[in-house]
RNA sequence: GCAGGGGUGGGAGAGUGGUUAAAUCCAGCGGUCUGUAAAAUCGCCGACUUCGGUCUACGCAGGUUCGAAUCCUGCCCCCUGCACCA
């Protein structure tokens, strides 16, 4: 593959918000590629939550592109910076995590990341390797390369400043620490979400100070969540987890609004622009339903993360359960084996039984009552109007999509 | 340390002595409709209940009152400015 083609792949879907920056980065990348050596590529991930989401795999897919072209890819875990909490993606301060939490999260992260990245070609490191050891003197030297004004100019800081919201010094230091990672890794390229631009730039500044050639910055768009508006994130609840079951994932992808479909295709699949265009054209000519495009999207994504077979099964499950509204054959089971008679009531059981995600079918008995009042519960296909006792074999439907089977 | 502002339900934010389990908005949940989309539309959204009620809740602890989220006292926490320090 020639350099031009490589460049085309590597720069695809980047998002800089500034055309000049983009063309500069592209030129720099081209120069590096022409050196014909394996480049050092990395992307950092803060282990602040256990679950990676589809949002995270955008950068991982880009790492994989580099990987496939023979470059050295480092999956960097923000073991140290996670302690600070990145101010980038929020207008508010993040809670700090304990070291144990972070370590546990980090382990989970790598396991999940290998769904996208090739384990044999990926180096996993954590930035506490070097940030933990840095001396106060070195630290102050790092600080001296930045001014307060530079930080205050940053959009999310200036907003908070103007709103009289607190800005903690530790948050300022975040970008600095992250920039130092680039120095330590002698990075040629760093990948990140477009909200990370400031942090990635800090890397360039520091690398120059350390007489390294500054890294090329590749920023990618932020994936919106299932609500179609806000950034996908665990804390907002609009996320699709990388670790979710194919059926679940299929369903969640089906629930994104139409407006988000195109960007999902671009960011999460390898479909070409031409193919995508022709898909949408078919919809316009009514050769295809809009929902079918979305199903295709879900199939593509699940194929990549799991397998084609599982994607196909998930699609069938979806069609049977939700489109034809059949009762699924597999559902959450609840054993009443050793329950006392008074615990066999529908309300009690819904309050006890857990969904796969760990939530209860109903948070309280009051909620069950409300659901009953609202015609939301049916047993074996019949809507019920009052609390009853359940027997083994009963199939309970709660709302549209939640099912529970009673077993011995 | 000083001065000012503030702490209300998942979030935002009303309410300054009684019809307040607490307006309104957002989020969430459910019914109808549908494509687990969007839009519409109707409803729910502290807990427990033998459905008559009971209990808990407006930073914490006391107090005044027939009655407090609302008044008083003490404490805790947050923000801004100043001072101290540099």
């Amino acid at each position: 593959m020639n350099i031009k083609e490589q460049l085309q792949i590597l720069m695809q879907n980047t998002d800089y918000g500034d055309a000049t920056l983009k063309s500069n980065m592209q030129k720099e990348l081209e120069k590096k590629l022409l050196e014909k050596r394996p480049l050092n590529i990395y992307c950092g991930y803060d282990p602040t939550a256990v679950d990676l989401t589809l949002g995270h795999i955008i950068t991982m897919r880009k790492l994989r592109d580099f990987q496939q072209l023979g470059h050295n890819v480092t999956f960097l875990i923000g073991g140290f910076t996670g302690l600070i909490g990145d101010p980038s993606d929020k207008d508010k301060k993040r809670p700090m995590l304990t070291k144990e939490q972070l370590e546990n999260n980090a382990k989970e992260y790598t396991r999940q990341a290998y769904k996208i990245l090739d384990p044999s070609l990926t180096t996993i490191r954590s930035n506490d390797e070097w940030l933990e050891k840095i001396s106060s003197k070195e630290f102050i030297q790092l600080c001296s390369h930045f001014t307060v004004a530079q930080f205050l100019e940053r959009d999310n800081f200036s907003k908070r400043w103007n709103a009289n919201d607190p800005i903690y010094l530790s948050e300022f230091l975040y970008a600095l620490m992250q920039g130092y990672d680039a120095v330590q890794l002698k990075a040629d390229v760093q990948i990140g979400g477009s909200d990370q631009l400031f942090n990635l730039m800090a890397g360039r500044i520091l690398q120059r100070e350390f007489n390294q050639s500054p890294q090329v910055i590749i920023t990618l768009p932020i994936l919106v969540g299932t609500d179609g508006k806000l950034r996908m994130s665990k804390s907002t609840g609009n996320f699709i987890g990388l670790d979710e079951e194919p059926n679940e994932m299929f369903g969640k992808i089906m629930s994104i609004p139409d407006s988000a479909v195109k960007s999902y295709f671009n960011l999460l699949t390898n479909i070409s622009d031409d193919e995508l265009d022709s898909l949408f054209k078919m919809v316009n000519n009514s050769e295809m339903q809009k929902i079918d495009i979305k199903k295709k999207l879900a199939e593509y994504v699940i194929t990549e993360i799991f397998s084609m077979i599982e994607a196909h099964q998930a699609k069938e499950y979806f069609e049977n359960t939700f489109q034809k509204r059949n009762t699924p054959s597999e559902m959450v089971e609840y054993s009443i084996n050793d329950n006392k008679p008074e615990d066999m009531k529908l309300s009690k059981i819904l309050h006890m039984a857990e969904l796969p995600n760990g939530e209860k079918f109903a948070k309280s008995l009051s909620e069950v009552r409300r659901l009953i009042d609202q015609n939301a519960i049916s047993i074996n296909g019949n809507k019920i109007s009052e609390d009853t006792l359940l027997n083994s074999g009963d199939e309970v439907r709660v709302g549209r999509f939640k099912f529970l089977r009673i077993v011995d």
Side-chain angles (χ1 to χ4, degrees), chain A residues 164-177:
Chain A
N164 283 348
D165 280 336
I167 300 173
Y168 293 85
L169 198 52
S170 56
E171 298 181 77
F172 269 6
L173 302 179
Y174 187 89
L176 195 76
M177 307 268 82

Side-chain angles (χ1 to χ4, degrees), chain A residues 130-147:
Chain A
W130 48 87
L131 291 177
E132 195 122 272
K133 293 187 195 113
I134 201 164
S135 74
S136 308
K137 190 176 157 195
E138 290 170 298
F139 182 70
I140 300 298
Q141 273 167 359
L142 289 182
C143 291
S144 68
H145 301 303
F146 298 91
T147 69

Side-chain angles (χ1 to χ4, degrees), chain A residues 57-105:
Chain A
I57 74 176
I58 296 173
T59 50
M60 288 188 224
R61 297 180 86 253
K62 188 58 81 180
L63 284 176
R64 189 178 59 188
D65 289 342
F66 277 97
Q67 205 162 54
Q68 285 168 349
L69 291 170
H71 300 288
N72 303 325
V73 164
T74 301
F75 184 89
L76 182 69
I77 292 171
F80 189 88
T81 36
L83 288 169
I84 299 177
D86 181 12
S88 291
D89 62 344
K90 283 212 177 156
D91 295 334
K92 287 201 174 152
K93 190 181 172 256
R94 263 201 203 169
M96 292 194 182
L97 298 178
T98 67
K99 196 127 197 349
E100 293 70 44
Q101 280 174 309
L102 287 174
E103 274 169 14
N104 177 48
N105 290 355

Side-chain angles (χ1 to χ4, degrees), chain A residues 39 50 74 87 94 96 108 122 162 207 221 258-259 271-272 301 335 354 365 374 386 403:
Chain A
L39 301 175
V50 190
T74 301
R94 263 201 203 169
M96 292 194 182
E108 273 296 302
T122 309
N162 290 331
Q207 280 180 307
D258 290 348
S259 57
I271 194 169
S272 69
V301 173
S335 167
E354 288 185 355
L365 299 184
Q374 294 178 129
E386 57 183 13
F403 294 91

Side-chain angles (χ1 to χ4, degrees), chain A residues 90-268:
Chain A
K90 283 212 177 156
D91 295 334
K92 287 201 174 152
K93 190 181 172 256
R94 263 201 203 169
M96 292 194 182
L97 298 178
T98 67
K99 196 127 197 349
E100 293 70 44
Q101 280 174 309
L102 287 174
E103 274 169 14
N104 177 48
N105 290 355
K107 242 182 247 153
E108 273 296 302
Y109 263 40
T110 48
R111 184 181 63 71
Q112 291 172 38
Y114 284 152
K115 293 188 176 184
I116 302 294
L117 295 169
D118 183 339
S120 65
L121 297 176
T122 309
T123 311
I124 307 275
R125 298 186 71 177
S126 171
N127 62 9
D128 52 14
E129 275 176 52
W130 48 87
L131 291 177
E132 195 122 272
K133 293 187 195 113
I134 201 164
S135 74
S136 308
K137 190 176 157 195
E138 290 170 298
F139 182 70
I140 300 298
Q141 273 167 359
L142 289 182
C143 291
S144 68
H145 301 303
F146 298 91
T147 69
V148 171
Q150 286 172 336
F151 284 88
L152 281 178
E153 254 176 49
R154 239 191 124 170
D155 193 46
N156 59 33
F157 283 141
S158 70
K159 253 194 236 150
R160 283 160 63 181
W161 180 260
N162 290 331
N164 283 348
D165 280 336
I167 300 173
Y168 293 85
L169 198 52
S170 56
E171 298 181 77
F172 269 6
L173 302 179
Y174 187 89
L176 195 76
M177 307 268 82
Q178 217 189 56
Y180 190 62
D181 293 342
V183 174
Q184 280 292 321
L185 293 170
K186 298 193 170 55
D188 292 299
V189 178
Q190 185 180 178
I191 294 167
S194 58
D195 59 338
Q196 293 289 313
L197 189 63
F198 183 89
N199 294 337
L200 309 202
M201 283 295 183
R204 283 169 65 87
I205 295 174
L206 286 179
Q207 280 180 307
R208 253 186 233 114
E209 298 298 331
F210 283 82
N211 292 317
Q212 295 180 12
S213 101
Q215 61 184 353
V216 173
I217 286 170
I218 292 193
T219 46
L220 298 165
I222 303 298
L223 189 71
V224 295
T226 48
D227 59 324
K229 289 185 209 115
L230 300 172
R231 167 204 183 95
M232 181 180 288
S233 94
K234 186 96 202 277
S235 50
T236 328
N238 61 354
F239 71 104
I240 304 175
L242 193 45
D243 227 18
E244 295 191 63
E245 297 297 314
N247 287 348
E248 185 78 6
M249 198 179 277
F250 199 102
K252 284 197 177 182
I253 293 173
M254 291 310 289
S255 78
I256 63 170
D258 290 348
S259 57
V261 168
K262 210 158 193 168
S263 76
Y264 270 57
F265 261 114
N266 283 329
L267 298 173
L268 300 173

